[in-house]
Amino acid sequence: MKSGRIVVVFLLTLCSLTSRGQSTLKWEHLPGPLSPLLAYAETLVADKTGVIYSGTRGKGVYRSVDKGNTWVEIRKPIENGFVNALAVDSNDNVFAATRLGLFMSSDHGENWTKILADKAFVWNEDIEHIVISPFNQIYINYRTRTSYRATIGEFVWDSITCPRDFVFRVEPSGKILSSNNKYFPEYYSIDNGKTWTTIDYLTVAPNVNTMWSPQYSGTIAHVITDSGLYRSIDSGKTFNYQAFKGKYFGLYAHSAYGILFASTKDQISNKDTVFVSHNFGLNWTPITTRPTDSLLRQVFFVDSQRILAIWGSATYASDDSGRTWKYSMLGTGYVSKCFTTLDGRLAALAGQAIHLSSDLGASWVSIPTPYQPHDAIVNHDTLYFSVYYQGQVYKSTDKGISWTMLPLEAYSAQLAILNDRTLFVAADTSLYTSVDAGVSWKQIEIDPDTSSSAAVTTVVIAPDKTLWVGTSGGLFYSADTGKSIGIVSTVPMFVNVASLHFDEESGVFVNTWQDISHSHMKGVIWTTIPPPVGVPFSFRSLEYCRGNLIATAEEFGVLRTSNRGRTWIDESAGVWNTFVVGCYAHGGYIFLSTTGGLYRSIDTSLYADTSSYIGVKDSNDEDNLRFTVWPNPTTMFCDFTVEVPHFGPLDIVIFDQLGRQSKKIEFFANAPGPHQLKLFVGDLPAGQYLISAYFEGIVATTKVIKQ
């Protein structure tokens, strides 16, 4: 026989007719937390406004507006795209050639449109290279060295037959250059690609590997051959040997600032030596303070001092014309979770660190972790975090300076803390507890009928210190910290519990893969909240704030309802081109953890200025909640008249202007109709307050002035 409390469940199912309303929340993208972006960089480009884009292998495009100091990840619609090439036209349209096709953005990467499928012309081949001509045309090149051309905006494509592999460049004169690599042209055409002529550069060596065209520096030009680097000061008419005789070149880069880079590669060890010149190639100096031993793959000149370079798979930056380098790919990438620490700070998990903020996300302190955290707990100077795949839980008692692995094997572990010594860990099909701060552990039997096969999906400590456990087989509750656990419900709505959310004013919300359920009375009476019509139900997280239920869904962003699901409002506007992972209320704000960083609501209020009822106003609706407050303004007492449609629990809650609870009345209405309540407010500071009445998921709100 199972111990614990067995709860009777009644369902009050609501109307499932839902619609989309007008959004009211506005969002700002926070400048942190910053973490290393684990993206294999492939290419760098910039538009005329100075926005820099980095194409990556498998993680789409990253965007920087501060010369590459910080980056934001663009996930939709190219989140899984291997970006082979990027290009920007004269109107700052950005083009991305990916394994998912050719995309274009006209708003600095905020929105993307697929303009060509990945294998539109060549079966089973990716678009590898993009060229933008001065005549508003785009050229694409496939790996099979097949080229196509279209006018930008029209995108009617015709093929180009090149004597070499692909179109290299289109010059202002209309000359089309063709090449078999990305460094120098070998053929040109002056009749739009109908006929081609060989480019005869010079006779100093039989094999030219790459060339710096005279158009970049007026009369000075360089060519690299099998015999080294040669330099011309007469626009390429004559060349003289300059340096690197007999060296094999891995990369050659140049700029209009007179800064040149050359990497000479050892073909046996595959290591390279990188040289830099600051006087148009007259003198060369090896870079001895290079950031990595990986090969130099691309150099991108932001200005005469700021230079970005792809070394190996990572992007590095130099602020002294290439003399010294630092890691550049820091940014607001994937924030997997956001929560409040036990000492009241805002915490976020991003990259291989736990990030903490004491000023609502304006600034952050990052605590490095040995592995990327899956879940974490911050209790003043003591920190815990779990690792998803390794099945490990780590602890630090010195603010993350040192870490100790706890004696527990727990894969995909979710963590919860009751006090300084009592911890809970949900992992796979098991629930564990420790009463000595993680020194020793014991397993808690949840349900003898299902615990051997049911996955434990979440463990939560409610505000009243009770323990709640969600599994794939049901929802469970314990009032004695796990000594005895009873099942809350065995009805189908609690199969596959995805997440739980508690609020001191609203009770418990249960999110399954089918619907959302809510109870004011710890599971005695449940209300089903229908999802939006037309939205496949896959909510990832829930948050309740001032009478509003906010839910996140991967494909649909942020949704909000204030009337138990009758209407849902899409609040995703302003959440920039990313997937929303979760939402969290902290300090009167709503925070969104996304694959592109952390967002915060700009306005701390979710109410209209004169609203006295949030929801669907219909005098014939049996669920209407009538709510009046008198006197207003007031000095000592508030008299409430609340008319309820039927019996049930009723809560009256007063919030200050920061969203903090100031007063609360808990009342059970034993009959439908009006009920009179009185609340003393003489001890509250003078100011404006929000008063909300909660009844079975219905919320009515009004404002009151305390004098």
Side-chain angles (χ1 to χ4, degrees):
M1 180 177 178
K2 294 188 285 288
S3 59
R5 187 175 67 170
I6 308 300
V7 183
V8 180
V9 180
F10 300 94
L11 297 180
L12 301 177
T13 305
L14 302 181
C15 174
S16 62
L17 179 61
T18 56
S19 62
R20 293 295 183 92
Q22 184 178 2
S23 63
T24 57
L25 287 174
K26 299 184 183 302
W27 305 97
E28 59 179 329
H29 188 261
L30 297 180
L34 299 179
S35 60
L37 300 174
L38 304 178
Y40 194 112
E42 285 284 355
T43 183
L44 294 162
V45 298
D47 62 24
K48 291 182 299 201
T49 66
V51 178
I52 303 174
Y53 305 88
S54 174
T56 69
R57 184 179 299 180
K59 289 196 174 182
V61 176
Y62 287 80
R63 171 180 178 261
S64 175
V65 297
D66 55 6
K67 297 185 177 182
N69 286 309
T70 59
W71 300 81
V72 175
E73 187 176 356
I74 301 172
R75 295 295 293 260
K76 293 190 296 188
I78 50 179
E79 67 276 7
N80 296 318
F82 278 62
V83 180
N84 299 318
L86 292 172
V88 182
D89 68 9
S90 59
N91 295 317
D92 282 347
N93 295 313
V94 185
F95 296 88
T98 79
R99 290 189 176 179
L100 301 176
L102 181 65
F103 292 84
M104 183 183 78
S105 174
S106 300
D107 51 11
H108 304 293
E110 186 165 347
N111 296 284
W112 293 81
T113 302
K114 180 183 281 190
I115 58 175
L116 188 66
D118 53 341
K119 300 170 178 60
F121 300 120
V122 181
W123 182 80
N124 204 30
E125 286 293 337
D126 302 326
I127 301 170
E128 185 182 43
H129 188 56
I130 305 174
V131 173
I132 304 295
S133 81
F135 308 102
N136 197 39
Q137 290 182 315
I138 180 173
Y139 292 75
I140 61 170
N141 303 278
Y142 284 86
R143 293 186 185 276
T144 55
R145 309 311 188 188
T146 306
S147 300
Y148 291 84
R149 172 180 57 197
T151 299
I152 296 174
E154 299 176 1
F155 300 115
V156 178
W157 300 88
D158 65 315
S159 61
I160 299 293
T161 302
C162 300
R164 293 298 279 172
D165 295 328
F166 55 77
V167 172
F168 174 79
R169 186 174 65 243
V170 180
E171 296 186 342
S173 63
K175 181 187 295 185
I176 303 174
L177 305 176
S178 174
S179 175
N180 72 338
N181 59 49
K182 298 179 181 180
Y183 301 115
F184 81 104
E186 297 176 272
Y187 292 83
Y188 70 90
S189 172
I190 57 175
D191 55 6
N192 212 26
K194 296 178 182 178
T195 60
W196 296 85
T197 303
T198 302
I199 300 175
D200 186 13
Y201 284 110
L202 68 166
T203 59
V204 295
N207 296 314
V208 177
N209 294 327
T210 185
M211 177 180 180
W212 179 14
S213 174
Q215 69 170 334
Y216 290 100
S217 60
T219 59
I220 301 178
H222 287 80
V223 294
I224 294 176
T225 76
D226 288 348
S227 301
L229 182 141
Y230 288 76
R231 184 171 185 261
S232 172
I233 58 174
D234 55 7
S235 301
K237 297 178 181 178
T238 60
F239 285 84
N240 296 308
Y241 170 75
Q242 189 67 36
F244 311 123
K245 186 174 183 178
K247 298 290 185 180
Y248 176 80
F249 279 81
L251 178 74
Y252 186 73
H254 46 80
S255 77
Y257 306 108
I259 305 172
L260 289 73
F261 288 85
S263 65
T264 61
K265 186 167 60 175
D266 188 307
Q267 298 186 64
I268 298 177
S269 65
N270 206 37
K271 293 184 179 294
D272 66 343
T273 302
V274 181
F275 296 84
V276 62
S277 171
H278 296 94
N279 55 5
F280 291 98
L282 189 61
N283 303 105
W284 295 85
T285 303
I287 299 177
T288 57
T289 58
R290 57 186 296 174
T292 174
D293 289 335
S294 300
L295 296 177
L296 179 64
R297 298 173 47 236
Q298 184 183 353
V299 176
F300 179 82
F301 295 90
V302 180
D303 53 41
S304 61
Q305 296 293 316
R306 178 75 170 178
I307 303 172
L308 302 179
I310 300 176
W311 250 295
S313 63
T315 302
Y316 297 86
S318 172
D319 289 310
D320 54 8
S321 303
R323 295 174 176 86
T324 59
W325 297 85
K326 62 182 179 181
Y327 183 74
S328 170
M329 280 304 269
L330 293 173
T332 51
Y334 192 108
V335 179
S336 60
K337 187 176 182 180
C338 185
F339 59 96
T340 299
T341 67
L342 269 67
D343 54 359
R345 290 176 290 175
L346 179 66
L349 304 183
Q352 202 166 305
I354 301 171
H355 309 270
L356 302 174
S357 175
S358 301
D359 52 10
L360 299 175
S363 61
W364 296 85
V365 174
S366 299
I367 300 177
T369 54
Y371 301 95
Q372 183 170 345
H374 173 62
D375 197 8
I377 294 171
V378 179
N379 183 16
H380 298 278
D381 294 342
T382 302
L383 300 90
Y384 301 85
F385 80 92
S386 62
V387 186
Y388 188 80
Y389 290 109
Q390 282 88 337
Q392 299 164 347
V393 179
Y394 287 84
K395 175 184 178 181
S396 172
T397 58
D398 53 10
K399 300 181 181 180
I401 297 174
S402 60
W403 294 90
T404 302
M405 187 173 66
L406 300 181
L408 177 68
E409 186 177 274
Y411 291 90
S412 63
Q414 301 285 335
L415 310 180
I417 185 169
L418 180 65
N419 52 48
D420 290 344
R421 299 186 62 80
T422 305
L423 307 171
F424 296 92
V425 173
D428 200 11
T429 59
S430 303
L431 177 65
Y432 302 93
T433 184
S434 172
V435 295
D436 52 14
V439 176
S440 61
W441 297 85
K442 69 174 183 178
Q443 186 172 348
I444 298 176
E445 184 179 62
I446 304 172
D447 183 357
D449 297 333
T450 63
S451 61
S452 60
S453 58
V456 182
T457 54
T458 184
V459 55
V460 179
I461 304 295
D464 62 359
K465 304 303 181 183
T466 54
L467 175 69
W468 293 70
V469 182
T471 77
S472 60
L475 177 63
F476 299 86
Y477 163 90
S478 174
D480 52 12
T481 64
K483 297 182 178 64
S484 59
I485 294 183
I487 190 166
V488 175
S489 174
T490 57
V491 297
M493 72 174 183
F494 288 156
V495 175
N496 294 322
V497 175
S499 62
L500 299 173
H501 177 73
F502 291 86
D503 190 282
E504 293 194 27
E505 292 79 46
S506 62
V508 56
F509 290 90
V510 180
N511 175 26
T512 73
W513 295 118
Q514 288 79 35
D515 54 25
I516 302 172
S517 298
H518 170 253
S519 174
H520 265 294
M521 301 179 64
K522 289 187 168 48
V524 176
I525 299 176
W526 290 93
T527 298
T528 300
I529 301 174
V533 171
V535 176
F537 196 89
S538 57
F539 286 155
R540 291 196 57 165
S541 66
L542 303 175
E543 183 57 78
Y544 188 83
C545 182
R546 303 175 186 172
N548 292 261
L549 179 64
I550 301 171
T552 65
E554 279 194 356
E555 297 296 332
F556 295 92
V558 187
L559 301 171
R560 177 175 66 87
T561 180
S562 57
N563 52 25
R564 299 187 300 166
R566 287 186 183 86
T567 55
W568 287 88
I569 298 173
D570 187 350
E571 299 284 9
S572 303
V575 182
W576 183 71
N577 207 330
T578 185
F579 285 122
V580 179
V581 179
C583 57
Y584 193 78
H586 177 88
Y589 294 87
I590 299 295
F591 290 84
L592 301 178
S593 58
T594 78
T595 54
L598 196 62
Y599 287 79
R600 184 180 67 190
S601 58
I602 295 176
D603 187 3
T604 60
S605 174
L606 295 175
Y607 301 109
D609 290 340
T610 59
S611 174
S612 61
Y613 183 88
I614 294 181
V616 178
K617 293 185 178 180
D618 184 350
S619 59
N620 296 320
D621 187 350
E622 65 175 6
D623 287 332
N624 268 352
L625 182 64
R626 310 297 180 181
F627 179 40
T628 59
V629 180
W630 184 89
N632 190 6
T634 185
T635 57
M636 297 298 291
F637 289 93
C638 282
D639 291 305
F640 304 96
T641 298
V642 185
E643 184 176 351
V644 297
H646 52 78
F647 73 91
L650 173 67
D651 293 340
I652 306 293
V653 185
I654 298 181
F655 299 97
D656 65 14
Q657 289 183 319
L658 294 179
R660 298 173 299 197
Q661 177 182 315
S662 300
K663 295 273 186 177
K664 181 179 181 181
I665 298 176
E666 294 182 350
F667 176 76
F668 191 88
N670 55 12
H675 296 266
Q676 281 75 40
L677 302 170
K678 183 183 289 287
L679 180 63
F680 176 70
V681 296
D683 56 346
L684 294 180
Q688 180 176 272
Y689 292 84
L690 292 172
I691 303 181
S692 295
Y694 301 88
F695 181 80
E696 292 299 325
I698 312 173
V699 182
T701 299
T702 189
K703 293 182 179 181
V704 66
I705 302 297
K706 165 62 170 58
Q707 293 179 336

